[in-house]
Amino acid sequence: MNRFEYCQARLFENESFVAKDRNIKLYDGEEKTNYEDGEIVLTSHRLLWGRNGEIARGGSCLALKLKYVLSVDEEEASSMLFGRKKRIILRLGTLASDKMPGPMDHSCSSFVKLSGRNGVEGAFVQALHSTLAARIWIVPDDVEQAQSSQSDASAAGPSADASRRQLRIGIVGIERNLAEKQKQTDANINLAFKDLGRLMAMAKDMVAITNVVSAKIRERQGEISEDETVRFKSYLLSLGIDDPVTRDGTRSNSEYFLKLSRQLCEMLLDPITESGGMMSLADVYCRVNRARGLELLSPEDLLEACRLLTGPIKLREFPSGAIVLQLESHDDALISQRTLELVEQNVSMSPDELARLECISLLLARERLLTAEGFGQLCRDESVEGLRFYTNKFIH
């Protein structure tokens, strides 16, 4: 108990309210004290204990700086009236030389206990663990500096800047803190709408350049300048799909998934063709949601829409469980022959080497090698160095 000190129930600058519990009793080690049936308040820097109503009025209380707390333990205590209840044990560090006066000058115990009629609430204990893990009091602007600035401002007289030494007392201080957070939230919302305005301005520019490009293509007269092409591509990459399919725009789930599958087919046909005729569903998910902007798709909706693809793209699941989208014209035999040629050129090959060589994902590279193995063109060697594939000399 000699780590506790007397203070006023005030929150200083950079200190915030965390949690509260009632009917708390303090122990000096294993010894009971006269500090019973009070309320305890956890802040980002201290534990405050006071008689009922004292802390709310900003009156006198006991304070334990969290920097003294080395660890927190829990124990079960039995009571004939209230049954089993939880107590909190705070293991305390060495007493600081600048400690203010408190209820005890000397104590033989290096720990204190917190107990209550029905034990300490689990929410309070969890908040205590989280606050101790955060260690907010180690920042430069801690409570000691706030106290020193308060005394300096008091010596300077009432003309000192009140905003720099403003104290947040009791419930009023908590309400003031909430009002400040609400003000900051409003400012963030205003800033977000300003960004939305910039986005709309860019959308207008995109529509204008699109009309110019479309008109020149239709009329087949004049050439599209390089600057217009670059601007057009940059706008496309920034804004993605101009009219994504959403649930709000359809009358039923079946209509939603059918329209979504058609849009996916239109959007992914060229990228899948450029990537060799196959794309993993994870890559599809990232590409589609990047293009849709704020209208993001869930993994479940994407998978359901992919199941309804009828062509020229289809959904395929490998025996390993990997799911991909591939072109209907995709021929496993031709791809396996291409994979065999690459392995023969390099004597042997691992999935990551094939992925780098063909600029495809590691998942697709592994499936290509396994497919070639299924055709009897390759055989594998699994060792501590990893998985490698060689040409099948037993057949070829």
Side-chain angles (χ1 to χ4, degrees), residues 238-249:
S238 299
L239 295 181
I241 302 174
D242 58 348
D243 187 22
V245 176
T246 61
R247 290 184 182 273
D248 296 337

Side-chain angles (χ1 to χ4, degrees), residues 4-5 7 15 19 40-49 55 61-66 69 88 90 112 114 124 128 132:
F4 280 84
E5 55 189 43
C7 71
E15 185 181 19
I40 191 167
V41 171
L42 172 65
T43 74
S44 57
H45 294 65
R46 298 176 295 171
L47 276 171
L48 304 178
W49 186 96
I55 295 180
C61 67
L62 303 181
L64 174 65
K65 296 178 181 178
L66 295 182
V69 181
I88 303 302
L90 303 180
V112 295
L114 309 180
F124 184 90
L128 178 59
L132 290 174

Side-chain angles (χ1 to χ4, degrees), residues 71-331:
S71 64
V72 179
D73 298 324
E74 301 178 14
E75 68 175 11
E76 292 284 343
S78 299
S79 172
M80 296 181 61
L81 296 178
F82 302 101
R84 302 186 68 83
K85 57 184 180 181
K86 181 186 297 185
R87 288 178 180 171
I88 303 302
I89 303 175
L90 303 180
R91 307 287 179 183
L92 305 178
T94 307
L95 185 65
S97 58
D98 59 346
K99 175 190 168 295
M100 302 295 290
M104 289 187 182
D105 294 330
H106 302 283
S107 175
C108 298
S109 300
S110 60
F111 65 93
V112 295
K113 290 185 180 181
L114 309 180
S115 182
R117 292 180 182 176
N118 300 314
V120 182
E121 291 185 0
F124 184 90
V125 178
Q126 182 63 37
L128 178 59
H129 282 288
S130 301
T131 305
L132 290 174
R135 299 178 64 83
I136 300 177
W137 60 87
I138 65 175
V139 298
D141 296 327
D142 58 4
V143 175
E144 286 81 8
Q145 291 183 349
Q147 290 174 334
S148 62
S149 64
Q150 176 195 1
S151 60
D152 293 342
S154 300
S159 60
D161 186 5
S163 63
R164 295 183 58 186
R165 60 181 182 88
Q166 184 180 31
L167 299 178
R168 295 173 287 178
I169 304 173
I171 301 300
V172 177
I174 296 173
E175 292 177 349
R176 184 184 296 115
N177 189 25
L178 293 175
E180 292 174 358
K181 291 182 179 179
Q182 182 64 39
K183 184 178 179 180
Q184 183 62 35
T185 301
D186 293 340
N188 292 338
I189 293 175
N190 293 332
L191 180 62
F193 276 107
K194 289 181 181 179
D195 293 338
L196 183 61
R198 297 191 188 101
L199 179 62
M200 295 302 297
M202 189 174 70
K204 293 178 181 178
D205 293 338
M206 179 183 174
V207 172
I209 192 66
T210 303
N211 291 335
V212 173
V213 173
S214 300
K216 290 186 177 181
I217 292 176
R218 286 195 304 268
E219 297 172 4
R220 294 187 179 181
Q221 57 182 359
E223 296 183 354
I224 302 175
S225 67
E226 183 177 355
D227 290 340
E228 289 173 334
T229 304
V230 171
R231 288 172 59 196
F232 184 59
K233 289 183 177 181
S234 65
Y235 288 142
L236 285 177
L237 289 175
S238 299
L239 295 181
I241 302 174
D242 58 348
D243 187 22
V245 176
T246 61
R247 290 184 182 273
D248 296 337
T250 55
R251 292 171 294 181
S252 63
N253 282 343
S254 58
E255 181 183 0
Y256 166 66
F257 287 119
L258 185 60
K259 288 186 176 181
L260 182 59
S261 65
R262 293 172 182 170
Q263 189 172 73
L264 291 177
C265 186
E266 295 174 359
M267 173 190 173
L268 297 172
L269 182 58
D270 290 340
I272 292 178
T273 302
E274 294 173 359
S275 61
M278 186 181 297
M279 183 179 293
S280 69
L281 206 59
D283 293 337
V284 170
Y285 177 78
C286 295
R287 184 181 289 267
V288 169
N289 275 329
R290 179 180 179 184
R292 288 174 65 92
L294 298 177
E295 299 292 342
L296 301 180
L297 281 180
S298 67
E300 293 80 7
D301 286 356
L302 178 64
L303 181 59
E304 186 64 29
C306 290
R307 290 195 176 107
L308 298 178
L309 291 171
T310 56
I313 302 174
K314 66 178 181 180
L315 185 69
R316 177 181 180 182
E317 183 172 357
F318 288 97
S320 64
I323 304 177
V324 299
L325 291 185
Q326 71 174 35
L327 300 177
E328 287 188 335
S329 58
H330 182 85
D331 190 339

